[in-house]
Amino acid sequence: MGPDTGLQSCPRAAILEDSMKSLAFTVAAGCLSAGLALAETPILTVYAPDYFVSEWGPGPRIEELFEARCDCDLQFKPGDLLPRILLEGDRTEADVVIGLNTDVTKKARDSGLFAEHGVDLSPLTLPIDWTDEVFLPFNYGHTAFVYDSTRVDAPPASFDALLEAPDDLRLVIQDPRTSISGLALVLWVQSVYGDKAQDAWEKLAPKIVTVTKGWSESYGLFTDGEADMVLSYTTSPAYHIIAEEDETKKAAIFPEGHYFMVELAARLSTSDQPELAGEFMEFILSEDFQSMIATGNWSIPAALDSAKWPEGFQKLDLPEKVLFYSEDEAADLRGEAIEAWRRALSQ
């Protein structure tokens, strides 16, 4: 190698080194820019039940529509709701919780973890007046006994008629200690029969072939033909009408009235995204959100005129009279109602 070779190669090395530095800077700047953009995207964390966020539930479409509005990242966290919130306390990551019901709102309210929703309630189309400033309804239904018209020719036309029906009428219900629908049933019986609730249960008990832990087990037994009637909801037949084109499943409507159940959303007072949480609460009563509830949650939308319901929902038999306990009444009666059920079924 001659003496000039090294001198001639130095400029090439310097140019290569500068190019590599420039490329590294460009890559680093790009990564930093992307990181900053990601960091600037606000995240809204919503705790919701498993069924709500499943692929067949309304959650995925709601996430898509709200993110298009808010330019944010909506993250659903499925699982238990109130127990999880109470355990986490003011350290919870949740900004909003959706899927509570009126049987637990007293405990939720007493925790002090929830803030006023600040939403105009005038769009609500509930069968009762709703004035709660903390818990916002998004759908509702009524507890009912669903039957298959191919197996039950003459369904009971009243609650009294159900109690007096032959003991070979096979019923499946849910445990009120582990099931929301089961708890609704004992409160329904308590509302209709009051001090005579245990007598009513003693008449009903011989017809009950099994008590399941949850709704899905009961309904599966019913659809498999193991029971003539199942404790469910007035909206359950809509699934069969719409998804299966089957109109043989019907709800028995009783003149004594049906227990009204409503599902609710609420803001967390500890949220670090209060404005975004408020925007989501407003979104809940929008037509975009409400139009996904009927066939996404198989419930009646809380703020949608019945003329806009899917055709299958418009075919439903719904009660003229609804029965409803306030959260204080439900809390006071819960123990008594469950005990009347337990005593009657343990005899």
Side-chain angles (χ1 to χ4, degrees):
M1 182 181 295
D4 293 337
T5 305
L7 293 176
Q8 292 172 353
S9 64
C10 284
R12 297 193 191 120
I15 291 171
L16 179 60
E17 183 178 356
D18 288 345
S19 297
M20 293 181 66
K21 287 180 179 179
S22 176
L23 177 61
F25 177 79
T26 301
V27 171
C31 291
L32 179 61
S33 177
L36 288 172
L38 185 62
E40 289 170 357
T41 301
I43 296 174
L44 183 72
T45 302
V46 178
Y47 285 5
D50 293 333
Y51 63 82
F52 192 90
V53 303
S54 68
E55 61 180 344
W56 56 84
R61 180 61 176 154
I62 286 171
E63 179 179 355
E64 180 183 343
L65 288 176
F66 187 68
E67 287 183 345
R69 287 182 172 217
C70 70
D71 192 25
C72 66
D73 181 10
L74 170 58
Q75 296 184 1
F76 282 115
K77 299 293 180 66
D80 288 337
L81 299 180
L82 188 58
R84 182 179 179 185
I85 292 287
L86 295 178
L87 180 64
E88 294 172 346
D90 57 12
R91 295 175 290 103
T92 184
E93 296 178 0
D95 300 298
V96 173
V97 59
I98 188 166
L100 299 172
N101 66 81
T102 47
D103 295 327
V104 301
T105 50
K106 179 174 174 57
K107 182 181 289 187
R109 197 186 309 273
D110 289 347
S111 73
L113 293 172
F114 295 92
E116 292 187 2
H117 53 68
V119 178
D120 176 15
L121 299 177
S122 61
L124 289 175
T125 53
L126 302 178
I128 64 169
D129 291 332
W130 190 270
T131 58
D132 199 309
E133 296 180 348
V134 174
F135 298 101
L136 182 70
F138 66 92
N139 67 219
Y140 71 93
H142 321 82
T143 306
F145 287 96
V146 173
Y147 66 96
D148 186 328
S149 61
T150 65
R151 298 200 299 265
V152 180
D153 295 330
S158 67
F159 218 130
D160 285 345
L162 176 63
L163 300 187
E164 301 299 333
D167 289 348
D168 61 359
L169 179 70
R170 300 170 301 164
L171 305 179
V172 180
I173 66 171
Q174 296 96 59
D175 191 323
R177 297 165 298 186
T178 56
S179 165
I180 292 173
S181 51
L183 178 58
L185 175 58
V186 297
L187 292 174
W188 184 13
V189 172
Q190 192 73 29
S191 179
V192 173
Y193 293 101
D195 294 341
K196 302 294 184 180
Q198 185 170 334
D199 294 339
W201 278 114
E202 289 173 359
K203 291 181 179 179
L204 198 61
K207 306 171 190 39
I208 299 171
V209 294
T210 192
V211 178
T212 64
K213 184 177 180 180
W215 173 88
S216 60
E217 300 97 320
S218 286
Y219 210 80
L221 290 171
F222 167 68
T223 55
D224 287 343
E226 298 297 321
D228 301 312
M229 303 183 76
V230 60
L231 171 67
S232 192
Y233 303 98
T234 52
T235 53
S236 296
Y239 170 80
H240 299 283
I241 294 171
I242 295 171
E244 300 175 344
E245 298 183 350
D246 174 8
E247 298 192 20
T248 64
K249 311 300 189 294
K250 300 179 182 296
I253 303 300
F254 298 158
E256 294 97 334
H258 288 248
Y259 194 71
F260 171 82
M261 295 185 67
V262 59
E263 284 194 287
L264 309 159
R267 299 171 55 180
L268 275 295
S269 59
T270 55
S271 171
D272 60 0
Q273 296 286 350
E275 292 185 5
L276 200 53
E279 188 178 342
F280 184 77
M281 296 297 283
E282 292 278 356
F283 176 61
I284 286 173
L285 295 193
S286 70
E287 187 167 333
D288 279 349
F289 184 105
Q290 290 290 305
S291 64
M292 289 180 285
I293 289 299
T295 55
N297 228 33
W298 298 106
S299 298
I300 301 174
L304 194 67
D305 188 271
S306 60
K308 295 182 179 180
W309 296 356
E311 183 180 353
F313 274 75
Q314 297 185 32
K315 293 181 177 181
L316 294 175
D317 295 321
L318 299 177
E320 294 183 4
K321 180 179 181 180
V322 297
L323 306 171
F324 181 69
Y325 285 129
S326 70
E327 63 183 43
D328 290 327
E329 291 170 331
D332 290 343
L333 290 170
R334 177 176 181 155
E336 176 185 346
I338 292 176
E339 183 60 19
W341 166 85
R342 190 197 63 79
R343 284 196 300 263
L345 268 65
S346 63
Q347 292 180 4

